[in-house]
Amino acid sequence: MKLYNSETRRVEEFVPYNPSEVTMYTCGPTVYHFAHIGNLRTYIMEDVLEKSLRFLGFNVKRAMNITDVGHLSGDSDDGEDKMVKSATSQNKSVMEIADFYTRAFKADCDKLNIKWPEIVIPATSEVESYIKMIEVLLEKGFAYASGGNIYFDTSKLGEYYRFGKLSADELMVGVRDSVAGDDAKKNKADFVLWFTKSKFENHALIWDSPWGKGYPGWHIECSGISLKYLGEHLDIHCGGVDNKFPHHTNEIAQTEACVGHKWCSFWFHSEHLNDKSGKMSKSKGEFLTLSVLEKNGYHPMMYRMFCLLSHYRNQLVYTKEGMDSAAAAYAKLVKKLSTLGGGEVVDFEIFEKFNKKFKDALSNDLNTSLALTCVYDVLKADTNDSTKIALIASFDEVLSLSLVSAMDGSHELLQETETEISSEMKAWIEEKIAARAEAKKAKDYAAADAIRAELLSRGVEIKDTRDGVEYKIIK
Ligand code: AMP
Ligand code: ZN
């Protein structure tokens, strides 16, 4: 399998350290708020990566943390802990907040057919591991105590930043986040491993440590959990591109200083989903969640389809038009798949031919849009329906677009329900039908078709009859 490695900035042949098992680590969500659809894009692409590896014959052991402590506003060593801030504003305990948003995240993953990694560890449950790691770093001279906190000494490293070119200024955490530098640091790029002192004395989560009561920094969580559950040689570490610095840079620094050799061989970074106004961000407060998409009439699989249509290394801009077009394509695909029959003998030669094409697309640095095209190629192929069903079921192990349920007729979009629709929705449908009639009158058939597709993307199917246009809700 060929995969882009952010550290070498090249597409490389992926070779695991131990051929019998690929180890894969994912930075989990910071559970102070709902995940936005940008976060979910990253988790969808990581899910595709894990499933592709399995599809290509690798055995995968994957771990993910849940960040429930230590992620400070601004990503730097200054600012308030995001969890504590959220708990205070909602008048809840940090653990109640963590529990609520972890469940919400799991529910989003389930709806998007994102497989929950077999090892999922809340950061607060592994504090002992971080303390042990910090002790080793102090012993080896890579860390120092100053002003009540323990810092990592970046001047002890030959190379600190590994993901390309950043200027010395960009590497200063404090400068980057436009907050005051920390006077206790020996070097501006040093970062906190353990806090006993911070500007925010209301920190609700504190543990005993050899350096006094306090709490761990965010970066040490991922290093500690990864080392404990996946060992000293990690094959793939994943995250969104924003994690490259400071988070992943600091993870590499402290982990390699601790184990004394190279730690992770592949860095998989998924590009961001932006909206028209710029980067989607939880801390901005207003953002799109999966529930908002559902309220607007989209099935979660339509969002997965929207993501799979673009390459994970390209930025993706969310627009209503783009989403509508993915939604219409998905609804059409489900309908088409539901018409496949069966009961014939699978043609293995054809099966092998298309399965190979699909594998080639995945092996080419996860070319998901090409992998999707394979579904359409199979549908057009000159072979029997049983072969088509077998192939598409096989592809769906990776695509996870609920294509199997479309083929066996159990897909939600195929169920005719007497859904109550709101008066706003009714008015919207009628307005669209009228606009379509106008477009047809003006012989603008492209516009008329676009309106039909838009209606379908919201689960409204229309039919022209002698008595006018009829519509039905198909989900
Ligand atoms: P967080 O919950 O903030 O720790 O982020 C969870 C994951 O989402 C991390 O891997 C981030 O890198 C990723 N992420 C954050 N913002 C975006 C975005 N706009 N688009 C895609 N991924 C993102
Ligand atoms: Zn992490």
Side-chain angles (χ1 to χ4, degrees):
M1 179 187 210
K2 294 226 175 339
L3 207 54
Y4 182 81
N5 183 354
S6 310
E7 188 178 340
T8 58
R9 296 180 297 293
R10 273 200 312 264
V11 174
E12 293 173 0
E13 187 62 37
F14 171 69
V15 183
Y17 183 80
N18 172 356
S20 66
E21 190 171 64
V22 173
T23 50
M24 179 172 167
Y25 185 82
T26 294
C27 287
T30 311
V31 283
Y32 69 104
H33 213 323
F34 292 109
H36 56 60
I37 58 170
N39 301 129
L40 294 170
R41 177 191 190 199
T42 291
Y43 293 107
I44 288 172
M45 299 326 290
E46 293 169 353
D47 180 61
V48 171
L49 173 62
E50 176 185 350
K51 289 173 178 166
S52 297
L53 287 163
R54 291 183 189 278
F55 196 81
L56 295 168
F58 294 101
N59 200 5
V60 183
K61 185 174 183 188
R62 181 171 175 205
M64 177 175 84
N65 69 309
I66 298 285
T67 301
D68 53 3
V69 66
H71 193 170
L72 307 187
S73 321
D75 278 1
S76 73
D77 291 336
D78 214 326
E80 194 168 7
D81 186 297
K82 293 186 181 196
M83 295 299 301
V84 176
K85 198 170 163 187
S86 171
T88 313
S89 74
Q90 296 191 40
N91 218 1
K92 298 247 166 60
S93 74
V94 170
M95 282 302 123
E96 278 170 332
I97 291 288
D99 186 54
F100 179 81
Y101 289 113
T102 303
R103 281 171 201 271
F105 175 67
K106 170 83 169 54
D108 284 348
C109 288
D110 288 347
K111 283 183 183 168
L112 288 166
N113 290 344
I114 297 172
K115 177 179 168 287
W116 198 239
E118 56 266 47
I119 305 167
V120 178
I121 310 290
T124 45
S125 70
E126 283 296 341
V127 176
E128 232 173 87
S129 307
Y130 321 142
I131 292 179
K132 277 195 201 130
M133 228 182 129
I134 298 168
E135 283 178 323
V136 173
L137 291 171
L138 281 163
E139 234 169 74
K140 290 188 167 188
F142 282 101
Y144 60 92
S146 177
N149 294 335
I150 308 295
Y151 292 88
F152 186 90
D153 186 347
T154 51
S155 71
K156 294 276 155 64
L157 299 171
E159 188 188 19
Y160 172 48
Y161 185 68
R162 299 270 187 87
F163 300 114
K165 286 198 168 45
L166 275 192
S167 68
D169 266 3
E170 285 167 311
L171 292 177
M172 307 305 167
V173 176
V175 175
R176 190 181 97 111
D177 290 303
S178 347
V179 289
D182 187 336
D183 293 342
K185 291 179 183 182
K186 282 193 201 163
N187 314 288
K188 278 191 180 167
D190 293 355
F191 55 92
V192 179
L193 298 165
W194 186 268
F195 288 93
T196 66
K197 281 268 173 308
S198 85
K199 279 203 312 218
F200 300 93
E201 294 301 345
N202 63 341
H203 208 282
L205 293 173
I206 46 172
W207 291 263
D208 280 327
S209 83
W211 320 287
K213 277 189 192 308
Y215 57 98
W218 170 38
H219 321 298
I220 197 84
E221 294 172 9
C222 290
S223 296
I225 293 172
S226 171
L227 279 182
K228 174 161 177 185
Y229 292 91
L230 302 174
E232 285 191 11
H233 293 275
L234 181 64
D235 290 315
I236 309 180
H237 194 307
C238 316
V241 279
D242 58 304
N243 282 164
K244 282 186 188 170
F245 183 78
H247 187 47
H248 290 164
T249 301
N250 293 348
E251 275 189 51
I252 297 175
Q254 67 209 1
T255 311
E256 294 193 352
C258 187
V259 298
H261 56 74
K262 185 154 177 68
W263 164 52
C264 174
S265 47
F266 265 83
W267 287 87
F268 177 91
H269 287 115
S270 190
E271 255 297 346
H272 273 175
L273 176 90
N274 302 314
D275 54 26
K276 280 189 199 147
S277 65
K279 189 189 146 190
M280 214 169 269
S281 137
K282 272 193 239 186
S283 48
K284 271 202 215 158
E286 274 189 27
F287 49 78
L288 273 174
T289 60
L290 188 63
S291 315
V292 171
L293 292 192
E294 285 183 287
K295 272 192 206 116
N296 288 334
Y298 299 112
H299 190 280
M301 284 299 101
M302 293 169 171
Y303 182 62
R304 188 167 172 117
M305 176 99 165
F306 174 80
C307 292
L308 297 189
L309 285 165
S310 323
H311 195 251
Y312 75 92
R313 280 201 286 130
N314 291 335
Q315 281 192 7
L316 181 57
V317 177
Y318 180 87
T319 58
K320 187 181 165 304
E321 298 72 39
M323 183 64 201
D324 279 344
S325 137
Y330 183 73
K332 204 167 152 195
L333 179 62
V334 167
K335 278 235 131 166
K336 175 83 191 147
L337 292 173
S338 71
T339 63
L340 290 176
E344 298 117 327
V345 179
V346 172
D347 182 332
F348 282 104
E349 219 170 286
I350 301 266
F351 185 92
E352 271 315 305
K353 182 180 131 195
F354 282 97
N355 219 30
K356 179 171 182 315
K357 266 187 147 181
F358 184 73
K359 281 185 178 171
D360 287 347
L362 301 177
S363 308
N364 182 10
D365 192 25
L366 289 197
N367 191 336
T368 48
S369 62
L370 193 59
L372 260 176
T373 309
C374 291
V375 175
Y376 292 95
D377 289 346
V378 165
L379 282 172
K380 279 187 284 181
D382 184 17
T383 184
N384 64 41
D385 281 4
S386 296
T387 308
K388 294 182 181 180
I389 290 173
L391 275 162
I392 292 168
S394 160
F395 301 169
D396 208 31
E397 286 173 28
V398 177
L399 302 176
S400 299
L401 285 168
S402 297
L403 304 182
V404 172
S405 66
M407 294 188 292
D408 70 21
S410 65
H411 197 294
E412 272 175 62
L413 291 190
L414 298 168
Q415 312 310 311
E416 285 190 33
T417 49
E418 296 292 314
T419 338
E420 272 293 311
I421 59 168
S422 65
S423 50
E424 286 96 339
M425 182 75 174
K426 243 185 212 153
W428 179 80
I429 296 170
E430 275 154 22
E431 194 185 297
K432 290 287 161 189
I433 290 176
R436 179 170 166 267
E438 283 296 313
K440 278 174 88 174
K441 223 162 108 191
K443 298 207 171 5
D444 187 353
Y445 297 110
D449 284 349
I451 294 171
R452 178 194 280 273
E454 187 183 1
L455 283 158
L456 195 58
S457 74
R458 303 280 194 97
V460 185
E461 191 176 59
I462 54 171
K463 205 162 131 195
D464 294 305
T465 71
R466 259 185 302 171
D467 305 322
V469 180
E470 282 176 6
Y471 69 84
K472 67 177 181 195
I473 307 295
I474 55 169
K475 63 173 185 306

